[in-house]
Amino acid sequence: MAQVEATTERVVAADAEKVFDALADYRGTRQKVLPEHFSEYEVREGGDGEGTLVHWKLQATSKRVRDCLLEVSEPTDGELVEKDRNSSMITTWRVTPAGEGKSRVVVTTTWNGAGGIGGFFEKTFAPKGLGRIYDAVLAKLAAEVEQ
C-alpha cells in the first residue's frame, strides 16, 4: 500500500481568524460550504473545532463513496485535523495570514492507497479528483467569509 496525498490551497480575502472559525464551525458554516459530493452530514459530538465528531459520506466518483466518521483535533493554532475512524484518511486544514486582510487555506488529505495496478490508478487519479472537490469547498468558504 502506498500513501496517497491530495493538497489544495486558496488565498481568501478575510483574516485568518475569521476563516479558521468558519472552518471549525461544524454546526453552521462547514455544512454550508460542502458541495454535492458530501451527503448524510451529521454532527454527533461537539460542533466547534477540537472534540467534534462529524459524519458524512463523500462521493469522490460515481462508483466510489466513502463513509467518514471524523474526529477533529486542533494540534496547533490555525490547524484542524480530521481523522477518519473508518479508514486511514486524515485531512489537515491549515489557515495562515497572507497579507493585510487575507489568509491562505491549505487542505491536505492523506490515506493508505490500494496495492498493485489499482493502487497505481488511485495514486494517479484520486488526488486530482479530491483536489476538484476541495477547490469547490474553498470557493464556497471564500464566498461565505468574504461577505
Side-chain angles (χ1 to χ4, degrees), residues 95-117:
V95 182
T96 55
E100 186 73 29
K102 293 182 181 176
S103 56
R104 178 177 317 284
V105 183
V106 179
V107 55
T108 302
T109 299
T110 59
W111 68 94
N112 296 328
I117 192 72

Side-chain angles (χ1 to χ4, degrees), residues 1-5 88 111-116 119-120 122-123:
M1 281 192 290
Q3 187 163 48
V4 183
E5 181 176 305
S88 62
W111 68 94
N112 296 328
F120 169 79
E122 180 179 23
K123 193 170 179 102

Side-chain angles (χ1 to χ4, degrees), residues 10 66-68 89 120 145:
R10 182 182 184 111
R66 191 182 282 258
D67 189 353
C68 303
M89 190 171 74
F120 169 79
V145 298

Side-chain angles (χ1 to χ4, degrees), residues 79-135:
E79 186 176 68
L80 282 172
V81 176
E82 301 167 344
K83 290 185 179 178
D84 187 7
R85 287 185 179 176
N86 298 333
S87 73
S88 62
M89 190 171 74
I90 299 172
T91 299
T92 303
W93 298 83
R94 287 184 185 86
V95 182
T96 55
E100 186 73 29
K102 293 182 181 176
S103 56
R104 178 177 317 284
V105 183
V106 179
V107 55
T108 302
T109 299
T110 59
W111 68 94
N112 296 328
I117 192 72
F120 169 79
F121 285 106
E122 180 179 23
K123 193 170 179 102
T124 302
F125 297 108
K128 290 180 179 100
L130 196 54
R132 283 191 295 277
I133 292 169
Y134 281 119
D135 276 341

Side-chain angles (χ1 to χ4, degrees), residues 33-56:
V33 301
L34 296 177
E36 67 279 356
H37 301 89
F38 295 83
S39 63
E40 298 183 31
Y41 185 95
E42 177 189 15
V43 176
R44 295 191 178 169
E45 293 175 18
D48 184 22
E50 178 89 30
T52 296
L53 183 64
V54 63
H55 171 267
W56 60 61

